[in-house]
């Protein structure tokens, strides 16, 4: 490993120790629930918000106080990325870096716990964190019921501490996720939920082999119990309007807390979703049909849902490498009719509420986890960037593998000695790319 890469590894794995007290002073604070505090003062102690208000808030005068100057900037809660495989997938085309799914053919994998495979040293964590994402709902993939969702704060390198809570939701898929037919998938889901209800009351009989065969393994049936008890939500991926209505019927029958993921045609059934108070996680840029399930996709989906009273969550659902793009997605929603404050809420407080974590995350309020972002300007504008990101009250280094590589190769002079090499080829060459052509290879 070269000296430069060794320094890079230290920069990523050895953040400074947290100060006892941090004060963020100045700037316009957008609390996350629509409230705006001008010239705000935020006091953070032991990783939580200890005081939030305007200039009247008393700043501790004792030693050991770290001051973050936010004057003239915008301050928001840390962003929450939903339904992703961050820390479960590192390189898409390298199978050994995939821990996002249980490799078997059984459609029911409810016992698969994403938190057990989360890799806190993933290089993707810092990429998202310096973009303002401080929390992720990490979900497994595949099957009819994929498994359990982990709620993770993006503390890079902290293998034991990054996980906030395991099993905050149960993730699944409708459509053609089983049997080559949406009708087969729904029938199987009904069968599994019904068996899970029976299993709850006859677990002892099952252990004595005194029950009929069930549709899933005992561990999977046991993992369904929190969802059947209404303790955690069931996050179901569904785009077609008919699938969303079927999911609503399923939730009503089994008294489930439903969250719809994808929802390309959710606007078509917005009144039903609003009446059931079911949140919908959407990606606004998905405005073109990628399949027959998404023929009704449109740019103003989020705006139409919000106008109908549906809790809207905005996410980047395409991959786990670009979760930071949720600010751009929120901006697209605003450009197509969603109120700005609702869009910010859709990437901060609304995701936390959807996953049952609103008591600790999603807004800047007393006692909540101090995840905070200071922005150079409007966070929904592409020209803005985070200047400071605090995760659990600690300012993280604003570096990632991408920024380190950018800085390393920003200038090629150090590899070619700053001298250009003239070609013996008499033909004229364009100036573009000349440095890359004549530079010596990087030193190892």
């Amino acid at each position: 490993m070269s000296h430069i890469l060794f320094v890079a590894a230290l920069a990523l794995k050895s953040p400074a120790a947290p100060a006892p007290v941090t004060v963020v002073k100045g700037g316009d604070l957008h609390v996350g629930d629509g409230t705006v505090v001008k010239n705000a003062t935020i006091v953070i102690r032991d990783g939580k918000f200890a005081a939030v208000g305007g200039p009247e808030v008393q700043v501790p005068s004792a030693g050991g106080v770290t001051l973050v100057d936010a004057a003239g900037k915008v301050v928001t809660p840390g962003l929450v990325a939903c339904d992703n495989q961050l820390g479960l997938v590192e390189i898409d085309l390298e199978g050994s870096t995939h821990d996002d799914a249980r490799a078997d053919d059984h459609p029911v994998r409810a016992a698969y716990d994403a938190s057990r495979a989360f890799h806190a040293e993933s290089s993707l964590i810092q990429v998202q964190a310096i973009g303002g994402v401080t929390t992720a709902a990490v979900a497994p993939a595949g099957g009819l019921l994929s498994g359990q969702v982990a709620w993770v704060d993006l503390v890079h390198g902290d293998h034991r501490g990054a996980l906030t809570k395991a099993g905050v939701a149960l993730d699944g898929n409708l459509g053609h996720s089983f049997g080559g037919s949406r009708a087969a998938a729904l029938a199987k889901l009904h069968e599994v939920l019904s068996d899970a209800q029976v299993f709850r009351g006859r677990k002892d009989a099952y252990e004595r082999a005194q029950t009929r065969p069930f549709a899933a393994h005992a561990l999977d049936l046991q993992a369904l119990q929190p969802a059947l008890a209404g303790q955690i939500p069931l996050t179901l991926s569904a785009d077609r309007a008919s699938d969303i209505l079927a999911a609503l019927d399923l939730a009503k029958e089994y008294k489930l807390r439903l969250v719809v993921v994808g929802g390309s045609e959710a606007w078509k059934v917005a009144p039903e979703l609003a009446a059931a108070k079911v949140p919908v996680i959407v990606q606004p840029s998905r405005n073109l049909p990628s399949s027959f399930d998404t023929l009704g996709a449109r740019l103003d989906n989020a705006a139409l849902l919000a106008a109908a009273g549906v809790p809207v969550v905005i996410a980047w659902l395409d991959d786990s490498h670009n979760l930071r793009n949720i600010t751009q997605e929120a901006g697209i929603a605003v450009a197509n009719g969603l109120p700005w404050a609702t869009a910010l809420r859709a990437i901060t407080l609304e995701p936390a509420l959807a996953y049952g974590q609103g008591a600790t995350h999603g807004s800047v309020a007393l006692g909540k986890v101090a995840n905070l972002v200071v922005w150079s300007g409007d966070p929904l504008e592409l020209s803005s960037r985070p200047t400071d990101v605090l995760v659990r009250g600690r300012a993280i280094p604003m570096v990632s593998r991408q920024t380190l590589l950018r800085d390393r190769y920003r200038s090629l002079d150090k590899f070619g000695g700053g001298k250009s090499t003239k070609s013996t080829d008499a033909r004229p060459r364009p100036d573009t790319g000349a440095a890359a052509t004549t530079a010596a290879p990087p030193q190892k």
Side-chain angles (χ1 to χ4, degrees), residues 28-69:
D28 293 341
L29 168 63
H30 294 262
V31 172
D33 60 0
T35 305
V36 180
V37 180
K38 298 288 186 180
N39 194 18
T41 301
I42 305 163
V43 179
I44 298 169
R45 182 177 286 108
D46 296 328
K48 296 185 177 181
F49 294 116
V52 179
E56 74 282 356
V57 172
Q58 295 296 315
V59 176
S61 57
V65 175
T66 299
L67 179 65
V68 177
D69 185 6

Side-chain angles (χ1 to χ4, degrees), residues 229-281:
Q231 297 168 353
I232 62 172
L234 174 64
T235 57
L236 279 180
S237 294
D239 284 300
R240 185 182 286 191
S242 59
D243 285 342
I244 296 172
L245 290 175
L248 288 173
D249 292 341
L250 191 78
K252 183 177 181 180
E253 179 178 351
Y254 290 96
K255 297 180 174 56
L256 303 170
R257 288 169 49 196
L258 177 67
V259 177
V260 173
V261 180
S264 294
E265 295 188 347
W267 60 273
K268 293 183 177 181
V269 293
E272 290 88 342
L273 288 163
K277 299 180 180 178
V278 170
V280 180
I281 301 175

Side-chain angles (χ1 to χ4, degrees), residues 191-201 214 221 224-225 228:
E191 180 186 13
V192 171
L193 291 171
S194 177
D195 279 2
Q197 287 181 328
V198 174
F199 178 81
R200 179 173 54 197
F214 288 126
L221 296 175
L224 281 164
Q225 301 308 316
L228 286 170

Side-chain angles (χ1 to χ4, degrees), residues 390-403:
L390 285 74
V391 182
R392 295 182 179 171
R394 180 175 63 185
I396 66 170
M398 298 298 285
V399 295
S400 69
R401 183 174 184 272
Q402 291 182 350
T403 66

Side-chain angles (χ1 to χ4, degrees), residues 149-339:
V149 179
W151 191 258
V152 178
D153 284 328
L154 303 194
V155 186
H156 184 263
D158 189 352
H159 289 287
R160 294 196 178 276
L163 176 68
T164 294
K165 190 174 182 181
V168 298
L170 188 66
D171 196 63
N173 305 280
L174 288 183
H176 287 169
S177 58
F178 174 75
S181 162
R182 64 194 71 248
L186 278 169
K188 188 66 174 179
L189 195 51
H190 273 281
E191 180 186 13
V192 171
L193 291 171
S194 177
D195 279 2
Q197 287 181 328
V198 174
F199 178 81
R200 179 173 54 197
R202 303 200 62 194
K203 186 176 180 180
D204 291 341
Y206 174 86
E207 297 291 344
R208 296 192 300 269
Q210 294 177 336
T211 64
R212 61 174 173 79
F214 288 126
H217 191 278
L219 292 177
D220 295 314
L221 296 175
Q222 184 61 40
L224 281 164
Q225 301 308 316
L228 286 170
Q231 297 168 353
I232 62 172
L234 174 64
T235 57
L236 279 180
S237 294
D239 284 300
R240 185 182 286 191
S242 59
D243 285 342
I244 296 172
L245 290 175
L248 288 173
D249 292 341
L250 191 78
K252 183 177 181 180
E253 179 178 351
Y254 290 96
K255 297 180 174 56
L256 303 170
R257 288 169 49 196
L258 177 67
V259 177
V260 173
V261 180
S264 294
E265 295 188 347
W267 60 273
K268 293 183 177 181
V269 293
E272 290 88 342
L273 288 163
K277 299 180 180 178
V278 170
V280 180
I281 301 175
V282 300
Q283 182 173 334
S285 64
R286 287 185 172 181
N287 66 311
L288 296 175
S290 59
S291 70
F292 280 97
D293 283 7
T294 60
L295 287 176
R298 52 191 291 173
L299 281 170
D300 58 352
N301 188 15
L304 294 173
L305 290 170
V310 179
V312 174
V313 177
I314 292 175
W316 176 264
L317 301 172
D318 286 342
D319 59 67
S320 297
H321 291 68
N322 295 290
L323 302 178
R324 56 190 173 169
N325 286 355
I326 56 176
T327 53
Q328 181 179 352
E329 293 291 337
I332 290 172
V334 171
N336 288 276
L338 188 69

